[in-house]
Amino acid sequence: MEFLLQVKIGALIGLLLLTLLFGFIPARVKWFRDTNGTDTHRTVLSLISCFAGGVFLAACLLDIIPDYLSDINAELDARLVETSFPLPEFIMAAGFFMVLILERIVLNCREMRGAQEERAPLIPDNRNRHGHGHGHGRSPDLEGSGHHVHVDFQAHSPFRSFMLFLTLSLHSVFEGLAIGLQSTDSKVLEICIAILVHKSIIVFSLSVKLVQSAVRPLWVAAYIGVFAMMSPIGIAVGISVMEARLAAGTLIQAVLEGLAAGTFIYITFLEILPHELNSPGKQLLKVLFILLGFSIMAALTFLG
């Protein structure tokens, strides 16, 4: 048991350091943060973002959802719960709608605040006929400008970046739990190596998305730092759980996994992929890079 504990602690430290390393590459390298570069620079960044989209798509369809369905079905069978209602899928839908409702609330508050700010400059223009005509002529432009901000907010919003971070962090805790709950050192090493490769790609892709969103550098560093700690926290919790198991612990974990899966579905299909595929230029090349990111993650999943 002493050697097993040492292996788990080594896995904890290794996951923490490697995640920080790969996470801070896009966050600290100026090239990734430059938004006023050449067309070639913007194209390369867009293709990297498409690659990240393929990574997240694979993580969603091949990792998070299968893990969740396996865990929740095993837990329902263990508790002898039989129902024709698709309960696992309903929990995922709850996670999806949870993010949808929260984002609509945030977006509605932003639009109301923006509408108040747009009306204020028009008041002085109404004092004379010429000003009124000029102001009236500008109002479609202002509305267009407001609409553009609205679209851009949906395309790369700090809120969605935060939800992406939150979902991946929660999933990382569960990955850490998988290591912490193992009873043999060989199984710990096997799972740890798989998670190291998988998480290195994930954290790099997450960092790219955070940098491209309107997230301050200090917050990007905080996100990466917290995300790097999630798997080690999961390992520590798993070690503790092996000493004292909770009766409802696995059920709570499965439900949280389901909510996280629903959140990830929303982020993947309504934020990451639409943003890149709806922007003009290099469409076939973008699809190729999405397929490349997906294929690499699929190959890693296939290899175990």
Side-chain angles (χ1 to χ4, degrees):
M1 182 60 186
E2 286 297 326
F3 179 71
L4 177 61
L5 185 60
Q6 291 175 5
V7 172
K8 289 181 179 180
I9 293 174
L12 186 154
I13 296 172
L15 275 172
L16 176 63
L17 296 179
L18 201 64
T19 304
L20 286 173
L21 173 64
F22 280 89
F24 278 115
I25 291 175
R28 299 303 301 170
V29 176
K30 185 180 178 181
W31 189 89
F32 287 96
R33 305 196 307 271
D34 187 5
T35 58
N36 299 317
T38 63
D39 288 340
T40 302
H41 177 267
R42 286 191 291 268
T43 299
V44 172
L45 279 179
S46 178
L47 294 178
I48 292 174
S49 185
C50 287
F51 177 84
V55 169
F56 289 131
L57 179 62
C60 178
L61 297 179
L62 305 180
D63 186 8
I64 293 178
I65 293 179
D67 283 353
Y68 157 66
L69 291 176
S70 175
D71 291 345
I72 189 68
N73 286 324
E75 187 61 21
L76 292 176
D77 290 342
R79 294 175 181 273
L80 303 178
V81 177
E82 295 184 5
T83 176
S84 59
F85 184 76
L87 184 60
E89 289 77 9
F90 179 80
I91 294 174
M92 280 196 296
F96 179 93
F97 282 109
M98 177 181 67
V99 183
L100 175 62
I101 292 170
L102 284 174
E103 188 185 52
R104 291 303 101 181
I105 292 173
V106 172
L107 184 58
N108 185 63
C109 293
R110 182 187 177 97
E111 287 177 340
M112 290 176 62
R113 186 170 64 249
Q116 292 174 352
E117 291 172 356
E118 283 181 10
R119 284 196 297 268
L122 297 178
I123 296 174
D125 292 337
N126 291 332
R127 293 178 182 175
N128 58 74
R129 189 176 300 273
H130 174 74
H132 175 74
H134 181 68
H136 179 73
R138 284 195 312 161
S139 60
D141 295 334
L142 287 170
E143 289 174 4
S145 175
H147 179 69
H148 176 72
V149 171
H150 167 78
V151 172
D152 193 52
F153 173 72
Q154 285 184 297
H156 259 329
S157 71
F159 175 80
R160 285 183 175 179
S161 296
F162 173 75
M163 293 308 299
L164 178 64
F165 152 77
L166 191 64
T167 304
L168 288 172
S169 295
L170 188 59
H171 184 63
S172 293
V173 172
F174 298 141
E175 287 181 332
L177 276 171
I179 295 177
L181 293 173
Q182 296 306 313
S183 56
T184 61
D185 51 10
S186 60
K187 193 65 176 177
V188 169
L189 289 173
E190 178 185 332
I191 296 176
C192 182
I193 291 171
I195 292 177
L196 278 172
V197 177
H198 167 265
K199 196 171 182 182
S200 297
I201 300 174
I202 287 287
V203 72
F204 184 88
S205 302
L206 173 64
S207 184
V208 168
K209 301 306 294 184
L210 290 173
V211 168
Q212 292 180 352
S213 302
V215 180
R216 296 180 180 179
L218 185 62
W219 280 106
V220 173
Y223 281 164
I224 298 302
V226 172
F227 179 72
M229 293 172 60
M230 290 298 103
S231 288
I233 288 174
I235 295 174
V237 171
I239 294 173
S240 301
V241 167
M242 287 192 69
E243 300 299 324
R245 290 185 177 273
L246 296 175
T250 52
L251 179 61
I252 294 172
Q253 175 187 331
V255 171
L256 288 175
E257 279 184 304
L259 294 175
T263 302
F264 207 82
I265 290 171
Y266 183 92
I267 297 298
T268 301
F269 291 101
L270 271 73
E271 140 61 345
I272 297 171
L273 295 180
H275 173 72
E276 294 301 335
L277 294 178
N278 290 338
S279 59
K282 310 288 185 183
Q283 292 297 317
L284 292 178
L285 196 57
K286 289 180 179 180
V287 173
L288 180 62
F289 270 77
I290 292 173
L291 284 173
L292 179 62
F294 183 92
S295 298
I296 290 176
M297 292 298 290
L300 291 174
T301 303
F302 178 78
L303 294 174

